[in-house]
Amino acid sequence: MLKKAGVLVMVFALLFGSNLMAGDQGKTYESRDQIPEKYKWDLTPLFASQAEWAKEKEAVEALIPEFKNYQGKLATSAQTLQQCLDFMTDVLKRYYKLSAYASRLSDQDTRESGPMAMRQEISQVGNKLSAAMSFIEPEILSIPQDVIDKFFKENPKLAVYRQYIDNIQRMKPHTLSPQEEKIIAHAGLMSDTPYDIYGIFKNADMPRPEITLPDGKTVKLDDATYTLYRADDNRDLRIMVFEQFFGAYKQFERTFGTDLYSQLKKDLFYKTVRKYDSCLEAALTPNNIPTSVYMNLIESVNENLPTLHRYLKLRKKMLGVDELHYYDMYAPLVPKVDLTYSVDEAEDLILEALEPLGDEYEDVLKKAFNERWIDMFPNTGKRSGAYSSGAAYDVHPYILMNFMGKYEDVSTLAHELGHTMHSYFSNKNQHFINAQYPIFLAEVASTCNEALLVSHVLKKIDDPKKRLSILGNQLETFRTTLFRQTQFAEFELKIHELVEKGEALTGDKLSKIYLDILKKYYGHDAVTKIEDLYGIEWAYIPHFYYNFYVFQYATSLCASTALSEKIMKEGKPMADKYVKEFLSAGSSDYAIPILQKVGVDMTTKLPYEQAFAKMNRIMDEIEKLLEETEK
């Protein structure tokens, strides 16, 4: 089935330690009625009322049975194929608009049963729609290539569907007979079981230790409190947190190991039945990403581990410790600094920072701020976090924020606006069928905005501590996104390769593999002390159930680093190309060629080398600042 995302792309922002604003900027409103209208999104461009939504839902639901008029007939003529795809496009556009309205309405107050029911209703419509459309891609797949070519010549109206059809047709070598595909589809009922078990056990059933904080308060050490206290400036507390947290996971090493091994066997099953050479190829081919991109990333990062080690030595110096340990990785490099902003200040700062992207980009940003595309403040019951959704093709994207006046909120807003602008320009310039950008590119525009914002902020700040805070957190972004995600990717590749060779993997063996990679990355012998206990960290990472997904965090950061530097260096010509050939491309081509058109070739090592070079420049500046403050 066509996967038209407008998927909620969650926050992937820089994490800057900063104090909350006093007053309204640091508060959660008890009621949405207390929030000024201009800071709440306006959903009327989607639907004027819930009654109008309900009427449209009934109309869309009534259209679903009409798909059967095309079933079994797509290969008969170019006109029939075109008419079916036109009908599919119309129904899907309307369905996504319905879904967008229900989701936005529900997210603004998750306690409300009415919007929740609307989401459930539209989800049921989606299930019916998926079932009704399920014949389309298999039928297109069964049409011989020479017939497809003839159809394109006969009917110029089909041209807009060329990329969509090609994306289906190229999977033919890995598609089986209808009867075999039916069996595989039924097997899919079991495919989520390893992750479901992992989620339930980790989030609900796994016993968690309790720890006593220095102030005497006792807290349960679950994943959320671990994330909070691993960044505490009290080293003794961090040591206790790491030992207790990972000690709890270690107790269930066998259980986690059995579950992850079942995930690997599932991946092996699909690799085998679909006739791929490796699990990696099976995971990357649907998005048309060469396996060489994955391998180049791992190779480049390994070649540049001295850059990570340079940062770790700098971290050791800034923390003032005799020996750097793994439990020191999230400690703040400098004391918290006062970087706080009102919404108006944040918007002005973002407009200034993104000015290099051109007048049209700036005009759309102003529309987002002034025409209520953004739900800005937290209120009781509102969904947490932040996202951008461009699912409603004929309406502008929407952004959910929970702005609290910190610098990280400004960065998050710039990030989500990157997604929004990507959706806006793709929707504006592409047919619906080609409007959703590939997942491989999902974080490029957003992190490019972050890079432009940081560059601009640093030009405005002279205070050494504030500069150190921002620069230090930039380094942390490179550590946690480029190095850490690649570390995960290398582990994921290694364990899949072992299973492909017929080796069984137990929990203790997985811990040994992970520990060896962890020690290599962090320079166990000379840079960072890695205790053996931390080999169990793999059990904490849910992404190992996502089938070779995490590497895209690292590639996106490298691509956006290259793009932001090209924009700042080359000015308007590059900015115009970025907007017209990247942001406006949607899925009119595959991800790698889209990036190549704007001068970023992810099949080479150059984007990675540019990211490492930037990281070293940041460290040069930090070392200079430290020298100046020590004088």
Side-chain angles (χ1 to χ4, degrees):
M1 193 191 97
L2 170 67
K3 290 182 173 61
K4 165 78 168 60
V7 180
L8 308 183
V9 188
M10 300 309 290
V11 184
F12 187 58
L14 297 174
L15 301 178
F16 291 89
S18 53
N19 299 326
L20 296 180
M21 276 287 289
D24 286 348
Q25 306 308 332
K27 127 183 202 184
T28 296
Y29 289 86
E30 287 298 319
S31 168
R32 288 183 63 80
D33 294 337
Q34 299 171 330
I35 303 174
E37 287 294 304
K38 67 178 182 177
Y39 296 128
K40 295 186 286 189
W41 54 27
D42 176 13
L43 300 182
T44 57
L46 290 167
F47 292 98
S49 65
Q50 294 185 35
E52 183 182 284
W53 179 90
K55 184 178 179 181
E56 172 68 354
K57 180 182 75 74
E58 290 180 7
V60 169
E61 203 162 8
L63 290 173
I64 293 176
E66 294 185 24
F67 277 101
K68 68 177 182 293
N69 297 332
Y70 299 99
Q71 191 164 359
K73 302 174 183 177
L74 299 190
T76 58
S77 73
Q79 184 178 10
T80 300
L81 178 58
Q82 175 238 318
Q83 289 174 342
C84 178
L85 295 180
D86 284 350
F87 179 66
M88 178 187 76
T89 294
D90 178 63
V91 175
L92 281 173
K93 267 199 293 190
R94 295 168 69 176
Y95 167 74
Y96 286 124
K97 188 176 177 183
L98 286 162
S99 181
Y101 182 76
S103 295
R104 301 297 82 74
L105 205 61
S106 177
D107 287 347
Q108 66 190 29
D109 191 341
T110 57
R111 300 169 302 171
E112 294 288 336
S113 59
M116 186 183 300
M118 291 168 65
R119 291 184 78 157
Q120 293 170 349
E121 289 173 25
I122 201 61
S123 177
Q124 292 172 4
V125 173
N127 291 335
K128 294 176 185 176
L129 182 55
S130 294
M133 291 170 47
S134 63
F135 70 92
I136 295 176
E137 291 193 5
E139 284 196 30
I140 291 174
L141 195 63
S142 69
I143 303 173
Q145 187 61 51
D146 60 335
V147 175
I148 288 288
D149 293 339
K150 181 167 73 75
F151 282 180
F152 280 122
K153 290 179 182 178
E154 291 175 355
N155 188 350
K157 292 181 179 179
L158 264 180
V160 72
Y161 298 108
R162 185 179 294 275
Q163 178 70 10
Y164 170 67
I165 291 173
D166 180 72
N167 208 20
I168 296 171
Q169 287 269 320
R170 70 180 177 82
M171 299 301 293
K172 189 170 288 187
H174 307 290
T175 304
L176 310 180
S177 69
Q179 189 59 34
E180 289 169 323
E181 286 292 334
K182 188 174 183 180
I183 294 171
I184 292 174
H186 285 306
L189 295 172
M190 302 177 287
S191 65
D192 290 336
T193 302
Y195 180 71
D196 290 343
I197 292 172
Y198 175 80
I200 289 293
F201 181 68
K202 177 183 174 181
N203 297 320
D205 293 344
M206 178 182 169
R208 302 294 185 138
E210 289 189 345
I211 60 169
T212 301
L213 302 177
D215 62 3
K217 180 183 177 182
T218 299
V219 297
K220 182 175 288 189
L221 195 57
D222 56 18
D223 289 4
T225 50
Y226 161 70
T227 302
L228 176 64
Y229 293 114
R230 72 182 180 182
D232 198 275
D233 54 11
N234 183 323
R235 200 181 197 204
D236 290 336
L237 176 58
R238 295 199 306 271
I239 293 171
M240 178 173 61
V241 164
F242 267 69
E243 289 179 350
Q244 293 292 320
F245 182 77
F246 288 115
Y249 274 90
K250 188 71 174 177
Q251 292 178 30
F252 298 96
E253 186 176 53
R254 288 187 297 269
T255 300
F256 282 115
T258 301
D259 195 34
L260 184 54
Y261 182 48
S262 66
Q263 171 72 25
L264 298 173
K265 289 189 290 184
K266 181 200 85 172
D267 295 342
L268 181 65
F269 166 77
Y270 284 112
K271 168 259 178 188
T272 303
V273 298
R274 294 214 173 276
K275 304 173 185 176
Y276 287 102
D277 292 334
S278 66
C279 292
L280 177 64
E281 185 186 41
L284 269 56
T285 297
N287 291 321
N288 205 21
I289 305 298
T291 57
S292 60
V293 172
Y294 196 100
M295 304 307 292
N296 272 344
L297 171 65
I298 292 176
E299 189 174 319
S300 294
V301 167
N302 274 271
E303 290 170 351
N304 286 274
L305 286 178
T307 297
L308 174 61
H309 295 167
R310 180 188 175 190
Y311 166 53
L312 295 173
K313 291 173 184 175
L314 186 59
R315 167 171 276 275
K316 174 184 174 183
K317 177 181 178 180
M318 293 178 73
L319 291 178
V321 295
D322 294 330
E323 185 177 58
L324 191 69
H325 287 254
Y326 197 50
Y327 49 72
D328 295 318
M329 286 304 105
Y330 300 95
L333 288 174
V334 294
K336 292 184 178 181
V337 295
D338 184 20
L339 282 171
T340 55
Y341 302 83
S342 69
V343 169
D344 290 343
E345 289 170 337
E347 291 177 355
D348 288 343
L349 189 63
I350 289 170
L351 285 169
E352 292 171 6
L354 303 183
E355 187 176 356
L357 296 178
D359 293 342
E360 185 180 10
Y361 196 101
E362 289 275 295
D363 289 344
V364 181
L365 283 176
K366 291 174 183 175
K367 285 185 178 181
F369 294 146
N370 299 328
E371 297 179 8
R372 298 173 57 196
W373 297 12
I374 306 169
D375 205 75
M376 192 65 73
F377 290 116
N379 58 260
T380 303
K382 182 177 174 179
R383 176 177 173 153
S384 61
Y387 66 71
S388 170
S389 173
Y393 176 80
D394 295 318
V395 180
H396 59 74
Y398 284 90
I399 292 175
L400 179 137
M401 285 287 299
N402 281 279
F403 190 90
M404 295 289 283
K406 299 180 291 182
Y407 180 85
E408 70 173 336
D409 297 313
V410 183
S411 183
T412 297
L413 180 56
H415 178 103
E416 298 306 336
L417 283 164
H419 291 307
T420 285
M421 302 299 275
H422 204 171
S423 296
Y424 174 87
F425 282 106
S426 288
N427 287 350
K428 178 183 176 182
N429 291 284
Q430 298 296 333
H431 183 280
F432 172 85
I433 204 78
N434 297 322
Q436 175 56 41
Y437 45 82
I439 191 67
F440 185 79
L441 305 180
E443 295 297 340
V444 175
S446 54
T447 51
C448 182
N449 273 14
E450 288 187 57
L452 293 172
L453 177 67
V454 170
S455 176
H456 178 71
V457 169
L458 286 171
K459 292 175 184 176
K460 296 170 71 74
I461 293 178
D462 295 323
D463 182 271
K465 287 186 177 180
K466 291 181 179 180
R467 292 185 68 82
L468 282 173
S469 176
I470 292 173
L471 291 167
N473 281 282
Q474 270 192 290
L475 289 182
E476 267 299 279
T477 296
F478 279 103
R479 180 186 74 82
T480 58
T481 305
L482 179 50
F483 286 98
R484 183 170 165 83
Q485 301 302 325
T486 305
Q487 169 201 318
F488 293 163
E490 186 170 342
F491 173 73
E492 195 170 5
L493 179 66
K494 176 69 173 177
I495 59 180
H496 278 90
E497 287 176 341
L498 290 173
V499 171
E500 288 167 14
K501 292 176 183 177
E503 293 193 28
L505 293 177
T506 57
D508 58 345
K509 190 167 185 179
L510 288 164
S511 294
K512 175 65 168 60
I513 295 166
Y514 187 89
L515 183 64
D516 288 345
I517 294 173
L518 187 64
K519 286 182 174 180
K520 177 180 69 171
Y521 272 66
Y522 284 84
H524 171 67
D525 294 331
V527 184
T528 308
K529 177 70 174 176
I530 305 293
E531 283 76 9
D532 288 353
L533 173 63
Y534 304 145
I536 192 62
E537 188 180 34
W538 60 267
Y540 163 65
I541 310 299
H543 297 76
F544 296 138
Y545 293 82
Y546 296 1
N547 196 18
F548 294 101
Y549 182 85
V550 294
F551 84 103
Q552 295 170 118
Y553 292 124
T555 55
S556 290
L557 181 63
C558 292
S560 66
T561 298
L563 280 171
S564 62
E565 296 205 336
K566 285 171 73 69
I567 290 165
M568 288 185 282
K569 181 179 179 182
E570 299 175 23
K572 188 177 186 302
M574 182 60 208
D576 289 345
K577 181 181 284 191
Y578 173 70
V579 172
K580 293 175 182 176
E581 298 187 27
F582 180 78
L583 295 183
S584 302
S587 58
S588 59
D589 203 343
Y590 296 110
I592 298 298
I594 287 174
L595 279 172
Q596 288 171 335
K597 289 172 186 175
V598 288
V600 179
D601 190 349
M602 299 305 295
T603 65
T604 71
K605 292 184 179 180
L606 182 58
Y608 308 125
E609 292 168 0
Q610 291 173 314
F612 298 127
K614 181 172 182 179
M615 192 173 176
N616 276 293
R617 289 197 301 272
I618 294 169
M619 286 188 280
D620 290 341
E621 182 169 356
I622 287 180
E623 288 171 350
K624 184 178 178 181
L625 281 168
L626 290 174
E627 287 177 9
E628 292 174 354
T629 55
E630 289 170 358
K631 288 178 182 178

